[in-house]
Amino acid sequence: MSITNYSRRRAVQAAKGEIPFDLLLTQANIVDMVTGEIRAADIGIVDSLIASVHPTGSRLDANEIHNLNGYFISPGLIDTHVHLESSHLPPNRYAEIVLTQGTTAVFWDPHELANVLGLEGVRYAIEASRNLPLHVMVAAPSSVPSTPGLEMSGADFAGDEMSTMLSWPEVHGVAEVMDMFGVLHGSERMEGILNAGLASGKLIEGHARGLKGADLQAYLAAGVTSDHELTSAEDALEKLRAGLTLEIRGSHPYLLPDIVAELQKLPHLSSQITVCTDDVPPDVLIEKGGIIALLNLLIEHGMQATDVLRFATLNAAIRLQRPDLGLIAAGRRADLVVFDSLKKLQAKHVYVAGEHIAKNGQLFKTLATEQDVLPPRDTMHLSPVTAKECTLQIKNITEGSARLRHISGARFTQWGEIDVQICNGQVQIPDGFSVIRVQHRHGRHQANPQIALLEGWGELRGAIATSYSHDSHNLVVLGRNADDMAQAANLLIESGGGMALVQNGKVLAHVAMPIAGMLSDLPAEQLAKQFRQLRELSSQIADWEPPYRVFKAIEGTCLACNAGPHLTDLGLTDGTTREIVDAVIATHNNNNDRRAN
């Protein structure tokens, strides 16, 4: 919501006492993000602006007064890096949840939508989030696809596409630069993207996973200014010392104790420390929260509430170049969240642009998307799959044996090798192994589906399928039984995408996501219930503890930009060398040997 000259003039008049405030918040304890103090004050609001912050009880002239009874009041929380698509909700339904938790602004990288729909996906992100109380700042995806040459998504962005997106006023910067290899080796594509970002004067977000030393310095020298891909406390400290803005994320909570301990050793907590959620599924978003859950974890691990709130407010506003946000001060937007305690943060009241929109976790109104915004559907451009198409075969061998490269591990993968038997044209899956099948779903090429052996998942007792697979979001199926795999794949093709579990010909769980193959039409609570059921039932197919990690691992198992082997729609890839690798090392067929170069 833009601030008009008329509103600004009225705020000046109200601050001087010439006209009454529209709204006066009294008996508040302000968490001061500049001084770190907690101090008593009243807040006068005119239209969407804070007009005055003044001593308690010194003004009573207002059209409406809210007594906050000594509660603590903070600027609205800001999420500096998020993919709304991970909630599997359209923007309006996502906003209905996070607003009640005190998040009033987000920096959204819609690169999941862009990898399916191209520029149309970014336009949908902009239009679907327009006029919501949640202030959505959209970033221009730079990772479409995340690893050019190793995978194919629904579009391909380079410098021209980046310049186009950055020319749109709703786009606030370049989204996370995942092609670290391209940056460090001066690829023409990445130079075009970065040059467009630098020319725009807007932000350039980073994805510096695993970078250190000279490579980290080179990555910064290219123009990148932030990173959320923190892998350890030492990694976080090196990046902070290098000058990157840290975006401590909630999607990797196991790192937080060490990161907090390292930050507490510093003589000063930099303004370049912010927080983000990155990816939060719907059940977790509802049950535990987004940014609010991360802040509470940081407090549990020993950080002061005043510090973590500054990460999520003033520091975030500085990072996002938004001087109208992040501070309770005259002239700022009246985006505010009220807490009854700073030991565990829980939003009692939420104000957006001066309007009281939520109380005790309940939003006062339902949020709707503009009627002329049509969600993108019909993105599963695939014919039905047969069971035979879900078996691993080696060209020109009916009976014999082979030595194959395979993927070992789940989230952190390594290369492995194994000898297999081939009967009736099919590789016999070894004990303790399963297979992964990836098929291009965007209609840009008609290559055969890719299948590889998978170790580290155990012998899957059925099939797990998803069309939400970072970052190209092709159709991915894991399993051992070809019939179950085909059934799970076809279920998603028919429903327009989503996630499914099939065992012995029975559908255990299915979450339909017909919007771009990744978003649901269901109300948030209903979707969360289905997603929770999907997690719980996944333990019948895969032995993982806790079960929620199954889908986190599946969503990232094809992420070819990460080090190690990954299967994509183009083949078995090596994220370290950026090569497509022949899975076949050697074969034996009727006494004829074949050896790979």
Side-chain angles (χ1 to χ4, degrees):
M1 181 186 296
S2 60
I3 298 171
T4 66
N5 292 336
Y6 176 69
S7 294
R8 185 74 69 180
R9 179 59 190 160
R10 288 189 67 234
V12 171
Q13 292 174 317
K16 294 170 63 179
E18 296 174 354
I19 62 172
F21 301 116
D22 294 335
L23 174 65
L24 180 63
L25 305 181
T26 65
Q27 301 296 318
N29 276 307
I30 289 177
V31 183
D32 193 317
M33 300 307 163
V34 174
T35 66
E37 298 170 297
I38 296 172
R39 56 188 177 84
D42 291 351
I43 304 167
I45 297 170
V46 170
D47 293 336
S48 62
L49 281 174
I50 297 173
S52 176
V53 179
H54 49 264
T56 300
S58 61
R59 296 274 301 270
L60 293 175
D61 52 322
N63 297 327
E64 186 176 356
I65 297 176
H66 292 181
N67 188 328
L68 299 185
N69 299 307
Y71 285 171
F72 304 94
I73 188 164
S74 160
L77 309 180
I78 303 171
D79 191 337
T80 59
H81 174 79
V82 62
H83 306 285
L84 265 64
E85 301 98 314
S86 63
S87 73
H88 306 297
L89 294 164
N92 62 313
R93 288 193 169 134
Y94 175 87
E96 287 175 344
I97 298 172
V98 299
L99 282 167
T100 66
Q101 299 170 358
T103 296
T104 57
V106 299
F107 192 70
W108 177 15
D109 172 8
H111 81 203
E112 322 296 0
L113 284 167
N115 268 286
V116 176
L117 299 158
L119 292 178
E120 177 190 345
V122 183
R123 286 307 316 176
Y124 169 71
I126 291 169
E127 299 303 330
S129 55
R130 195 185 299 280
N131 296 326
L132 293 175
L134 179 69
H135 190 55
V136 179
M137 292 166 272
V138 174
S142 69
S143 307
V144 182
S146 67
T147 321
L150 298 189
E151 61 183 342
M152 187 173 288
S153 59
D156 195 341
F157 286 179
D160 288 345
E161 289 79 10
M162 183 57 64
S163 293
T164 295
M165 291 183 287
L166 290 170
S167 72
W168 299 337
E170 303 92 345
V171 170
H172 293 256
V174 178
E176 59 177 315
V177 178
M178 299 179 68
D179 187 4
M180 299 175 289
F181 187 91
V183 173
L184 297 179
H185 291 81
S187 79
E188 182 178 349
R189 173 181 177 271
M190 282 315 306
E191 285 193 350
I193 287 172
L194 289 170
N195 288 340
L198 293 168
S200 74
K202 297 181 179 181
L203 302 173
I204 301 179
E205 274 200 310
H207 177 109
R209 186 176 184 84
L211 294 185
K212 58 184 178 180
D215 284 346
L216 179 62
Q217 296 296 316
Y219 191 69
L220 269 75
V224 178
T225 54
S226 72
D227 185 50
H228 61 276
E229 288 287 334
L230 308 180
T231 59
S232 68
E234 294 76 15
D235 178 61
L237 190 58
E238 181 178 0
K239 288 171 177 174
L240 190 60
R241 285 170 172 162
L244 283 171
T245 293
L246 295 190
E247 297 160 338
I248 300 172
R249 63 179 173 179
S251 57
H252 292 63
Y254 57 90
L255 295 172
L256 296 180
D258 289 344
I259 289 176
V260 168
E262 202 64 39
L263 291 179
Q264 288 181 321
K265 296 176 184 176
L266 298 175
H268 168 69
L269 287 175
S270 167
S271 63
Q272 293 193 189
I273 304 174
T274 67
V275 286
C276 73
T277 56
D278 199 9
D279 295 296
V280 186
D283 52 339
V284 175
L285 189 66
I286 289 176
E287 293 168 10
K288 296 184 178 180
I291 282 293
I292 195 73
L294 171 57
L295 299 188
N296 280 320
L297 280 176
L298 292 172
I299 291 170
E300 286 178 21
H301 294 316
M303 296 210 78
Q304 295 295 317
T306 49
D307 289 330
V308 302
L309 284 170
R310 188 169 70 254
F311 296 167
T313 57
L314 181 59
N315 289 8
I318 292 171
R319 163 63 193 165
L320 298 177
Q321 300 174 356
R322 291 300 304 264
D324 57 328
L325 304 177
L327 195 63
I328 299 178
R332 305 272 177 147
R333 272 172 56 102
D335 293 351
L336 306 164
V337 55
V338 179
F339 304 110
D340 62 352
S341 170
L342 295 183
K343 294 181 179 179
K344 182 173 183 180
L345 303 177
Q346 185 172 0
K348 302 294 291 184
H349 301 275
V350 181
Y351 296 82
V352 173
E355 179 183 359
H356 192 198
I357 65 163
K359 180 180 180 180
N360 294 327
Q362 298 297 314
L363 204 64
F364 293 146
K365 62 182 180 182
T366 300
L367 306 182
T369 301
E370 301 293 328
Q371 291 185 351
D372 59 349
V373 178
L374 299 177
R377 303 178 187 274
D378 302 321
T379 61
M380 299 290 291
H381 301 294
L382 292 171
S383 300
V385 173
T386 67
K388 185 177 180 180
E389 293 172 326
C390 295
T391 61
L392 178 56
Q393 303 175 43
I394 297 177
K395 189 177 181 180
N396 299 325
I397 299 182
T398 303
E399 303 289 336
S401 62
R403 186 162 184 81
L404 302 181
R405 296 182 178 89
H406 68 268
I407 302 169
S408 179
R411 294 184 62 190
F412 303 101
T413 60
Q414 296 179 329
W415 287 104
E417 296 180 9
I418 191 168
D419 294 316
V420 298
Q421 296 299 311
I422 303 166
C423 300
N424 298 319
Q426 297 179 11
V427 171
Q428 304 302 293
I429 305 173
D431 292 344
F433 281 70
S434 296
V435 297
I436 178 172
R437 180 186 190 273
V438 180
Q439 187 172 9
H440 183 79
R441 74 169 172 101
H442 309 293
R444 295 185 65 211
H445 72 79
Q446 300 299 321
N448 292 329
Q450 304 292 330
I451 303 177
L453 286 173
L454 194 62
E455 182 186 22
W457 293 73
E459 296 184 2
L460 296 181
R461 301 175 295 275
I464 305 173
T466 181
S467 59
Y468 183 78
S469 173
H470 300 301
D471 272 310
S472 286
H473 300 289
N474 287 306
L475 177 59
V476 178
V477 188
L478 286 75
R480 280 178 61 93
N481 183 292
D483 290 322
D484 285 349
M485 292 176 69
Q487 184 177 353
N490 290 330
L491 183 59
L492 298 192
I493 292 170
E494 293 166 7
S495 65
M499 299 179 181
L501 304 173
V502 173
Q503 186 178 64
N504 299 325
K506 178 184 177 182
V507 177
L508 298 183
H510 174 220
V511 180
M513 300 177 187
I515 302 173
M518 59 180 64
L519 305 181
S520 171
D521 290 313
L522 295 176
E525 291 285 353
Q526 190 174 345
L527 175 64
K529 181 179 179 180
Q530 285 194 6
F531 209 85
R532 192 180 309 112
Q533 182 185 43
L534 188 82
R535 290 184 193 279
E536 292 169 353
L537 292 174
S538 68
S539 63
Q540 296 186 26
I541 291 178
D543 294 322
W544 278 67
E545 292 294 338
Y548 75 85
R549 289 183 178 170
V550 173
F551 280 93
K552 183 70 175 175
I554 290 171
E555 290 166 4
T557 194
C558 298
L559 193 53
C561 67
N562 284 347
H566 300 275
L567 189 68
T568 76
D569 62 323
L570 298 183
L572 192 57
T573 69
D574 190 320
T576 304
T577 64
R578 291 301 197 267
E579 297 175 316
I580 296 178
V581 178
D582 190 347
V584 180
I585 299 170
T587 63
H588 180 80
N589 179 26
N590 295 330
N591 297 320
N592 293 324
D593 287 336
R594 170 186 179 269
R595 299 199 178 273
N597 293 326

